[in-house]
Amino acid sequence: MFPTKLTAAALMATAGLATPAAAQVLDAVYRGTLVCGDLPFASGRNREAIEVTIRGGSVNFKHVVRLSNSAVEDNAEQGSGTLDGQKLELQGAWKGSMHGYQSRYSGTFVRRSAELKGTQTWSDGSKSFSRSCAGSIKRDFKPLLPKKPPG
């Protein structure tokens, strides 16, 4: 039995289906949430919004900070990061009137989203402690992203 052109084309097409889809880390805004452990000096919600912007090779993020059930802090945690292929690394900080923290989060993109894990290292006066955080970010579908201006 001799393979035909149609059979060869069919084999090549199915071979492409066997490989996993590579992540498309596009210039876009990736939105999601982070869930962090409890704080010893505050109670309330631990799930807050995070927004990661990837544009032209630079990575920046903002994360909402809330120390009680009601009010969001006036300033958000902010930071920057790096993207190496599909691997995302973020570093940031937040400073309030009595508390502050340094943060590190990382994740790997799969398709159009990434699962994040990391740590916030808090200082509360003379005390310091760490809490773990985890969450995810996702971008809109490619057809819904803003079009790049011709250039």
Side-chain angles (χ1 to χ4, degrees):
M1 189 175 244
F2 296 101
T4 64
K5 288 182 184 178
L6 182 58
T7 305
L11 286 172
M12 288 174 57
T14 56
L17 294 175
T19 59
Q24 278 195 304
V25 184
L26 302 176
D27 282 4
V29 177
Y30 294 77
R31 292 181 176 90
T33 57
L34 276 180
V35 179
C36 298
D38 291 333
L39 295 170
F41 54 83
S43 63
R45 295 174 43 165
N46 293 328
R47 176 186 298 269
E48 298 300 339
I50 185 170
E51 182 177 282
V52 178
T53 302
I54 299 174
R55 185 151 287 115
S58 68
V59 179
N60 295 293
F61 77 96
K62 286 195 263 187
H63 175 230
V64 171
V65 177
R66 184 186 314 257
L67 299 179
S68 67
N69 278 330
S70 57
V72 170
E73 293 297 306
D74 290 336
N75 56 333
E77 171 191 357
Q78 296 188 35
S80 60
T82 59
L83 183 64
D84 183 11
Q86 280 83 20
K87 184 144 179 66
L88 178 66
E89 298 283 339
L90 302 172
Q91 292 182 175
W94 174 80
K95 181 74 174 139
S97 60
M98 296 175 49
H99 313 285
Y101 66 84
Q102 302 287 319
S103 62
R104 294 183 77 83
Y105 313 108
S106 63
T108 302
F109 281 94
V110 176
R111 293 183 182 83
R112 62 186 182 99
S113 65
E115 298 294 318
L116 299 175
K117 289 188 178 187
T119 303
Q120 296 173 345
T121 304
W122 285 74
S123 63
D124 177 23
S126 61
K127 301 175 190 173
S128 67
F129 61 93
S130 294
R131 71 175 183 169
S132 297
C133 300
S136 63
I137 55 172
K138 182 183 282 188
R139 69 165 166 78
D140 287 337
F141 287 108
K142 190 173 180 180
L144 300 176
L145 294 176
K147 305 291 183 238
K148 292 182 183 175

